[in-house]
Amino acid sequence: AAALALAVVAAAAAFPAVVDARAAYEIPVERQSGAADLAEPTGDAWESVQSVTVPMSSTGAAVPGGSDTAVESVRVEAARTDERLYLRLSWSDPTANASTDSLRAFADAAAVQLPVSSESQPPIAMGSTDERVNVWYWNAADGSESLLAGGAGSTTRIPESAVETAATHTGDRWSLVFSRSLSADRANVTDVDPSRDVNAAFAVWEGGNDERSGQKAASEWFYLSLSPSEGAAAYETVLWAIAGIAVVFTTLVTVEGIRRTRGE
């Protein structure tokens, strides 16, 4: 009985920590009735969308200067309509590097990584052969494209990408919007189900710091909270389970007390 009581107390005490840990990686997705100007980085529709600061760090690429990256965090906002997902990324960058005309010039760039299967969390470094990822890539000099990867060095271009981008550099910040229809238009493309959360990771290249290829700042896996109510339901299930254990424990203690009182 004592062990059961301790288990109940421990589970109840640990539950808030589990909730807090999950929330730390949440990017809320605001549902909007219409696209309005969500496709524009400076659109008024973004004013009501919650912003999440996502920490970035070097990926430690095995290239000269691979651990030297400039961007320490990116602000991410997410919104959707019934048909389309919009992600706005914003990060500090004193200069806009949008040309690769000279020999040593590298353009600023950014990317969003999503699992091909929204139910999985692949290895963060471009997935694996069993758990592939989609990468939405934007380059200030060349525009955007969609990529498929199944591990480092396996990246292939997805032709006729459905991902659209728009970017602006104002003051000392880039603001960039990625958008795509929720439903996949072909195999090996992430199908974004509005009733399920989906993992997402982010990367930024600072061209002015000679960053390119594997030399980049990247995040851990976060998740786009497309279905907050579903997540809450999962936690409620755990709470009800804890409550059930407590009821059973109380009943057993009561029965034992009655038995001892009767001298059984």
Side-chain angles (χ1 to χ4, degrees):
L4 180 57
L6 288 174
V8 171
V9 171
F15 183 73
V18 173
V19 173
D20 290 343
R22 187 174 189 271
Y25 291 90
E26 178 186 15
I27 299 175
V29 181
E30 180 174 300
R31 183 176 180 179
Q32 298 201 2
S33 57
D37 52 3
L38 287 171
E40 297 300 323
T42 57
D44 292 338
W46 289 107
E47 293 181 1
S48 65
V49 179
Q50 182 177 338
S51 174
V52 175
T53 298
V54 174
M56 313 282 281
S57 61
S58 167
T59 59
V63 297
S67 60
D68 176 22
T69 53
V71 179
E72 297 180 350
S73 65
V74 60
R75 288 206 302 258
V76 179
E77 296 149 300
R80 75 168 181 90
T81 62
D82 289 339
E83 296 83 24
R84 203 166 184 84
L85 174 67
Y86 298 84
L87 298 175
R88 182 169 76 163
L89 279 58
S90 174
W91 66 95
S92 176
D93 186 349
T95 59
N97 302 97
S99 173
T100 56
D101 291 342
S102 64
L103 183 62
R104 289 289 299 171
F106 300 98
D108 297 330
V112 177
Q113 178 176 271
L114 304 172
V116 168
S117 170
S118 61
E119 298 179 1
S120 69
Q121 189 180 87
I124 192 68
M126 308 301 285
S128 67
T129 53
D130 295 326
E131 296 181 294
R132 289 172 291 182
V133 296
N134 284 169
V135 177
W136 302 352
Y137 176 76
W138 167 85
N139 181 293
D142 302 321
S144 61
E145 60 183 342
S146 294
L147 307 169
L148 175 67
S154 65
T155 304
T156 58
R157 183 175 177 273
I158 299 175
E160 300 178 0
S161 169
V163 176
E164 297 179 3
T165 57
T168 183
H169 188 275
T170 305
D172 63 350
R173 295 191 71 83
W174 275 110
S175 291
L176 164 66
V177 173
F178 289 94
S179 69
R180 203 212 74 184
S181 61
L182 294 172
S183 59
D185 62 348
R186 68 197 78 181
N188 293 318
V189 171
T190 307
D191 188 31
V192 181
D193 183 344
S195 67
R196 300 183 66 91
D197 298 340
V198 61
N199 290 302
F202 310 91
V204 174
W205 291 259
E206 164 59 280
N209 191 44
D210 294 341
E211 296 176 25
R212 72 278 188 194
S213 188
Q215 184 182 357
K216 61 187 176 183
S219 76
E220 299 180 46
W221 282 114
F222 278 65
Y223 72 95
L224 303 177
S225 183
L226 287 148
S227 178
S229 59
E230 182 180 280
Y235 295 136
E236 288 171 5
T237 299
V238 176
L239 283 176
W240 278 114
I242 293 173
I245 292 171
V247 169
V248 171
F249 171 72
T250 303
T251 302
L252 289 174
V253 170
T254 301
V255 170
E256 178 65 14
I258 293 172
R259 186 184 68 81
R260 289 184 179 181
T261 300
R262 293 178 177 178
E264 297 178 2

